[in-house]
Structures are given as C-alpha cells and as structure tokens.
C-alpha cells in the first residue's frame, strides 16, 4: 500500500501484521489485480466509502423488494447478491490502492456484511435453511466484526 501519511501507514501495517499469511497474500494479490480499475474508479469520484455505501443501499433495496414488494424470483436474489458482492470485492482494493483506508470504511464494510448476512440468512430461512445454521452464520459474522474492530483500534 502506498501511503503518504506516516500515521495511516503505521496503523495499516500494524493491522496487516495481525492477519494470517493467507489473508495478507490474498489482499496483496487482489489489490495488484484490481489496481488499474480501482485507480480508475477513484478518478471518477467513487471512493471506497461510497462503494461501501452503495453496497449498503443495494442491501436495503434487496430487503425492500423482497419484504415489501414481495418479489421472490431467483434472478432477483442472484442479481442483488452479485451486485452487493461486487461492492464488497472492490471497496477494500479501492481504499488501499488510493491511500484512503479509513475506520469509517472498515466498519461500514463489516456492518454491510453483517446486514447482508442477516438478510441472506433470513431469506434462506424462508427456503428451509435450518435455524441453528443461520444463527451460526450470524455469530461468525458478529465475531469477525468484533475482531476487526478490536485489531484495527488496538484495544
């Protein structure tokens, strides 16, 4: 990660040191693969936080479409899962490749993931997903959110 602010760089390096080697390698490879595209998105004014916000809005629209408008078509679900997943793939690389990693973005990313997991699981329940499996997914996502918060803030 290129970083002009020494404080941000130290915080990022400290966080990265706490990650397992597989996570470090995956982050570096994904960032390198998406470097050109993430620089292009940032030049268009699409910051990582805006991409994360877009993912949250898409999650809300997905919820609204299924819950309120009663749209229950497989293509509807697959389309929203694909779009929300794309925002999840892009936001981190855009932030790291443009020296724009922020606490707000990290937490926004994980809260969007938690909302996505809650909602996807809720839809899964309506299709027969066992409740204990759903609760285990939510518990895992909540634990991940806690550890990300903990490791980034250094508590």
């Amino acid at each position: 990660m290129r970083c002009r602010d020494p404080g941000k760089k130290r915080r990022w390096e400290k966080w990265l040191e706490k990650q397992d080697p597989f996570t470090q390698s995956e982050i570096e490879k994904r960032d390198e693969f998406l470097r050109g595209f993430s620089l292009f998105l940032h030049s268009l004014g699409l910051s990582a936080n805006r991409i994360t916000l877009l993912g949250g809005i898409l999650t809300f629209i997905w919820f609204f479409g299924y819950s309120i408008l009663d749209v229950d078509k497989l293509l509807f679900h697959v389309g929203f899962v694909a779009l929300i997943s794309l925002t999840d793939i892009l936001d981190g690389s855009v932030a790291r490749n443009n020296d724009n990693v922020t606490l707000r973005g990290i937490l926004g990313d994980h809260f969007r993931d938690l909302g996505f997991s809650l909602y996807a699981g809720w839809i899964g329940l309506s299709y027969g997903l066992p409740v204990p499996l759903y609760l285990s997914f939510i518990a895992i996502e909540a634990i991940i959110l806690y550890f990300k918060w903990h490791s980034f803030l250094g508590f």
Side-chain angles (χ1 to χ4, degrees), residues 26-89:
E26 188 271 332
I27 286 172
E28 290 168 2
K29 287 177 184 173
R30 182 169 22 130
D31 288 351
E32 185 61 35
F33 179 74
L34 293 171
R35 183 174 315 282
F37 189 62
S38 63
L39 294 172
F40 173 71
L41 289 175
H42 196 265
S43 73
L44 294 176
L46 284 172
S47 69
N49 288 352
R50 288 182 177 162
I51 294 170
T52 301
L53 179 62
L54 176 63
I57 291 169
L58 288 170
T59 302
F60 179 76
I61 292 170
W62 184 34
F63 173 77
F64 182 79
Y66 179 72
S67 302
I68 310 298
L69 300 178
D70 201 28
V71 177
D72 190 18
K73 302 207 181 310
L74 182 60
L75 185 59
F76 175 77
H77 296 305
V78 170
F80 271 95
V81 167
L83 289 172
I84 295 164
S85 298
L86 183 63
T87 65
D88 191 34
I89 291 168

Side-chain angles (χ1 to χ4, degrees), residues 86-104:
L86 183 63
T87 65
D88 191 34
I89 291 168
L90 290 175
D91 60 1
S93 291
V94 170
R96 288 184 296 271
N97 284 327
N98 292 287
D99 302 329
N100 196 19
V101 176
T102 64
L103 180 59
R104 181 181 299 158

Side-chain angles (χ1 to χ4, degrees), residues 4-18:
R4 292 178 286 275
D5 180 2
K8 277 186 180 180
K9 186 171 183 171
R10 279 191 299 276
R11 185 171 57 209
W12 167 251
E13 288 171 346
K14 188 176 169 184
W15 178 83
L16 194 57
E17 287 171 0
K18 294 180 182 181

